[in-house]
Amino acid sequence: MEKARPAPGHPSTYGQACMQCYKAKCRCVPRSRGDSCERCHRLRKECLPSDSTRRRNADRAEESGTRIAQLEGKIEMLLSAVQSIVSSSGSSAEALRLLNEERIPSSTAGPNDTPANSISTNPSISGVPTPATDPSPLAQAHTDPCSPSQYSPSPSEPSPRQAEECLSFFRSRMLPYFPFINLTPDIAAWQLRHTRPFLFQAILVVTTFSTQKRLAQIEELKRILFTSALLEVQSSIDLLLGLLTYLAWSNDAFLGRADLISRLMILAISLVYDLRLFKPLPPDTILMMAITQGQDHESDQNPNDETFQGFMEKQRAVLACFVLSSNISSHLGRIDALRWTPQMEEALRIIEMNKSCLTDEAFAFQVRLQLLKQRAAHIREQQIDGARTATASVTTSVPGLLYLKTLREQLHELKSSFPPDLLQRGAFITHAHYVDLYINQLAYSISWDSPPLNLLGPRSDGGHLPGFERLKCLWWSVESIKSWLDSFYKISPSDLVGLPFHFWSQMIMCVTILKYLSVLEDPAWNRQEVRNTVDLIATMDCMIQKLDRVCIESNFQCDDSIFNLLSKLLSKCRVWAGARLNTSQIQDAEAGPYRSADPCETSHNSSIPDLDQMIWMQSMDLEDDQWFEDAMNLPAPFL
């Protein structure tokens, strides 16, 4: 029997308020027409009686009870099967093994979809600390391993054993090189699938090394992401962590899908803002939301209800979003990096002080390195804006050079502070050398209006010769590339498997700049000395051998991994470089030791582009032979 509503103009009694007023904790006064209450009519909201909603909740509870009964029936069947095995074979170990395998209903998966059949994982490689005192948000799940996740499982989802191997491989071989998640060893695959279903799906994707198989999984990941974030307009830390995981180890930048990476990065930034992870809402906005939406949104994010581990999880996600957006901005263009704020500086300070998670120390160094690079990029943006307004000149670029010199000193200080026992120290040192190269190249491009390397005559203002400054920056670039390569050679092939995408972009950039410096035609530049310091052909040969060893030692059951594709790129570049270097060496021999110092004789090859202005990187497709043909036929300054 339906409950009688109170008389119009009188507030509803306890338990009879509509759902809108009940949620907002407001007085519910029915209208005279009886179709809604005064507040819902004023706010133009649907007035739903609380009893109908409670009935729906009861229906849902009934459905959940049915689902639980079904699961209990399955468990009983499994226990009966185990008991029969024990009684027939007497092997308790075998029964336990079967029970563990059957705890989650398995589904079919391709034999090469996961590291289970393609990579021999090493469980001794951890790099992940023991759990902290507070339980990790990733481990806060029900004890029932058969609990359904938020998203429907994919038909190609791996079996429980394969899922565990994927998670173990990601945790021990990939995450340490970008440790923005505290994924402790006690978190099982079924737990992660329950608490962080989208992150779980992203891990399955990035641990698939066949390009074609990964592309099929990416489509399913995109479907889940777009449905949740765009159609259903959801914002959750799970979506953000999964999206950052995919972006960090994505191969799309090398497969002609740079536009997809840029769009997904913008979506990740929007999730950071929507979740208000580093920029709380101002009081007037909170008040307006309470008035217009009928509830106090500040109460939904009560900091007293959040655990320390949950708080740290969000801080790492914000900093990871900054690092990835900065890398994507400089390597692919099209987007601006997430701006550094005082709140992010405070988050980084908290990460550095956290001693309960050992990987936070390495992650903090990684963020500091990227912050120096981003500050250098900010100087370049100011120079471009000044050039557009016709205010930039050699004199106005001097402060920029001084600032870059300060950044270089801060970089060297940061490198010297790396703990000698820091896990993945070699990869982070390699990153530091690339930041040094980036700063040097920016210093070269700041004095853009001076002659290429003109060392003739003093400057009118009596200062340092701009050409000499550029000459120093170019040679520092040679030394930075050599240091990067030396660190790269020390990284074992098994460790190269887990490196994120921006490491491989750095490799391509280093080889490209080395090519420019090896064939730079300028009377003041000794390109033979560059070749004696770092031989371009020998460098590419060594890189090709290293990439091929990765495929062999990791026992990949495919020939279309990112390492195969990068090896293909370097092999084709080596053919071009061999012909180009032979031509320049003949020219050097004909010119002899006395080369002309006339800047007018400098060819177009003296122009070296900025690291973040190589447009061809945005169209790179290592699976497309036509792209290789077009790229190799481009003029030298663009190849």
Coordinates of all heavy atoms in Angstrom, one line a residue, residues 515-516 576 580 604-605 615-617 619 627-639:
K515 N 73.3 12.7 -36.4 CA 73.4 12.8 -37.8 C 73.7 14.2 -38.3 O 74.5 14.5 -39.1 CB 72.2 12.2 -38.5 CG 72.2 12.1 -40.0 CD 71.8 13.3 -40.7 CE 70.3 13.6 -40.4 NZ 69.8 14.8 -41.2
Y516 N 72.9 15.1 -37.8 CA 73.1 16.5 -38.1 C 74.5 17.0 -37.8 O 75.1 17.7 -38.6 CB 72.1 17.4 -37.4 CG 70.7 17.4 -38.0 CD1 69.6 16.7 -37.4 CD2 70.4 18.1 -39.2 CE1 68.4 16.7 -38.0 CE2 69.2 18.1 -39.8 CZ 68.1 17.4 -39.2 OH 66.9 17.4 -39.7
W576 N 71.1 5.2 -45.4 CA 71.2 6.6 -45.9 C 72.4 7.3 -45.3 O 73.1 8.0 -46.0 CB 69.9 7.3 -45.4 CG 70.0 8.8 -45.7 CD1 69.4 9.4 -46.8 CD2 70.6 9.8 -45.0 NE1 69.7 10.7 -46.8 CE2 70.3 11.0 -45.7 CE3 71.2 9.9 -43.8 CZ2 70.8 12.3 -45.2 CZ3 71.7 11.1 -43.3 CH2 71.5 12.3 -44.0
R580 N 75.6 9.3 -47.1 CA 75.7 10.7 -46.8 C 77.1 11.0 -46.2 O 77.8 12.0 -46.6 CB 74.6 11.2 -45.9 CG 74.7 12.7 -45.6 CD 74.3 13.5 -46.8 NE 74.4 14.9 -46.6 CZ 75.5 15.7 -46.6 NH1 76.6 15.1 -46.9 NH2 75.4 17.0 -46.4
H604 N 72.7 25.0 -46.8 CA 71.5 24.8 -46.0 C 71.6 23.8 -44.9 O 70.8 23.7 -44.0 CB 70.3 24.5 -46.9 CG 70.5 23.2 -47.6 ND1 71.2 23.0 -48.7 CD2 70.0 22.0 -47.3 CE1 71.1 21.7 -49.1 NE2 70.4 21.1 -48.2
N605 N 72.6 22.9 -45.0 CA 72.7 21.8 -44.0 C 73.2 22.3 -42.7 O 73.3 21.6 -41.7 CB 73.6 20.7 -44.5 CG 73.0 19.9 -45.6 OD1 71.8 19.8 -45.7 ND2 73.8 19.4 -46.5
I615 N 59.0 17.7 -37.3 CA 57.6 17.4 -37.7 C 57.5 16.0 -38.1 O 56.4 15.4 -37.9 CB 57.2 18.4 -38.8 CG1 57.4 19.9 -38.3 CG2 55.7 18.2 -39.1 CD1 56.7 20.2 -37.1
W616 N 58.5 15.4 -38.7 CA 58.4 14.1 -39.2 C 58.1 13.0 -38.1 O 57.6 11.9 -38.4 CB 59.6 13.6 -40.0 CG 60.9 13.7 -39.2 CD1 61.7 14.8 -39.1 CD2 61.5 12.6 -38.5 NE1 62.8 14.4 -38.3 CE2 62.7 13.1 -37.9 CE3 61.1 11.3 -38.2 CZ2 63.5 12.4 -37.1 CZ3 61.9 10.6 -37.4 CH2 63.1 11.1 -36.8
M617 N 58.4 13.4 -36.9 CA 58.2 12.5 -35.8 C 56.7 12.3 -35.6 O 56.2 11.2 -35.1 CB 58.8 13.1 -34.5 CG 60.2 12.8 -34.3 SD 60.6 11.1 -33.9 CE 59.9 11.0 -32.2
S619 N 54.4 12.0 -37.9 CA 53.8 11.1 -38.9 C 54.5 9.8 -38.9 O 54.2 9.0 -39.8 CB 53.9 11.8 -40.2 OG 55.3 12.0 -40.6
W627 N 55.9 5.2 -45.7 CA 56.5 6.2 -44.8 C 58.0 6.2 -44.9 O 58.6 7.3 -45.0 CB 56.0 6.0 -43.4 CG 56.6 7.1 -42.5 CD1 56.1 8.3 -42.2 CD2 57.8 7.0 -41.7 NE1 56.9 9.0 -41.3 CE2 58.0 8.2 -41.0 CE3 58.8 6.0 -41.6 CZ2 59.1 8.5 -40.2 CZ3 59.9 6.3 -40.8 CH2 60.0 7.5 -40.1
F628 N 58.6 5.0 -44.9 CA 60.1 4.9 -45.0 C 60.6 5.5 -46.3 O 61.5 6.3 -46.3 CB 60.5 3.5 -44.8 CG 60.6 3.0 -43.4 CD1 59.7 2.2 -42.9 CD2 61.7 3.4 -42.6 CE1 59.7 1.7 -41.6 CE2 61.8 2.9 -41.3 CZ 60.8 2.1 -40.8
E629 N 59.9 5.2 -47.4 CA 60.3 5.7 -48.7 C 60.2 7.2 -48.7 O 61.1 7.9 -49.2 CB 59.4 5.1 -49.8 CG 59.8 5.5 -51.2 CD 58.9 4.8 -52.2 OE1 58.2 3.8 -51.9 OE2 59.0 5.3 -53.4
D630 N 59.1 7.8 -48.2 CA 58.9 9.2 -48.2 C 60.0 9.9 -47.3 O 60.5 10.9 -47.6 CB 57.5 9.6 -47.8 CG 56.5 9.1 -48.7 OD1 56.8 8.8 -49.9 OD2 55.3 9.0 -48.3
A631 N 60.2 9.3 -46.2 CA 61.2 9.9 -45.2 C 62.6 9.8 -45.8 O 63.3 10.8 -45.6 CB 61.1 9.1 -43.9
M632 N 63.0 8.8 -46.4 CA 64.3 8.7 -46.9 C 64.6 9.6 -48.1 O 65.7 9.9 -48.5 CB 64.7 7.2 -47.3 CG 64.7 6.3 -46.1 SD 65.8 6.9 -44.8 CE 65.1 5.9 -43.4
N633 N 63.5 9.9 -48.8 CA 63.6 10.8 -50.0 C 63.5 12.3 -49.6 O 63.7 13.2 -50.5 CB 62.5 10.5 -51.0 CG 62.8 9.2 -51.7 OD1 63.9 8.7 -51.8 ND2 61.7 8.5 -52.1
L634 N 63.3 12.6 -48.3 CA 63.2 14.0 -47.9 C 64.6 14.6 -48.0 O 65.6 13.9 -47.9 CB 62.7 14.1 -46.5 CG 61.2 13.8 -46.3 CD1 60.9 13.8 -44.8 CD2 60.4 14.9 -47.0
P635 N 64.7 16.0 -48.1 CA 66.0 16.6 -48.0 C 66.6 16.4 -46.7 O 66.0 16.1 -45.7 CB 65.6 18.1 -48.2 CG 64.3 18.1 -48.9 CD 63.6 16.9 -48.4
A636 N 67.9 16.5 -46.7 CA 68.7 16.2 -45.5 C 68.3 16.9 -44.2 O 68.2 16.3 -43.2 CB 70.2 16.5 -45.8
P637 N 67.9 18.2 -44.2 CA 67.5 18.8 -43.0 C 66.3 18.2 -42.3 O 66.0 18.5 -41.2 CB 67.3 20.3 -43.4 CG 68.0 20.5 -44.6 CD 67.9 19.2 -45.3
F638 N 65.5 17.5 -43.1 CA 64.2 17.0 -42.5 C 64.3 15.5 -42.2 O 63.3 14.9 -41.7 CB 63.1 17.2 -43.5 CG 62.8 18.6 -43.8 CD1 63.5 19.2 -44.9 CD2 62.1 19.4 -43.0 CE1 63.2 20.6 -45.2 CE2 61.8 20.8 -43.3 CZ 62.4 21.3 -44.4
L639 N 65.4 14.8 -42.6 CA 65.4 13.4 -42.3 C 66.0 13.1 -41.0 O 66.9 13.6 -40.5 CB 66.3 12.7 -43.4 CG 66.4 11.2 -43.4 CD1 65.0 10.6 -43.5 CD2 67.4 10.7 -44.4

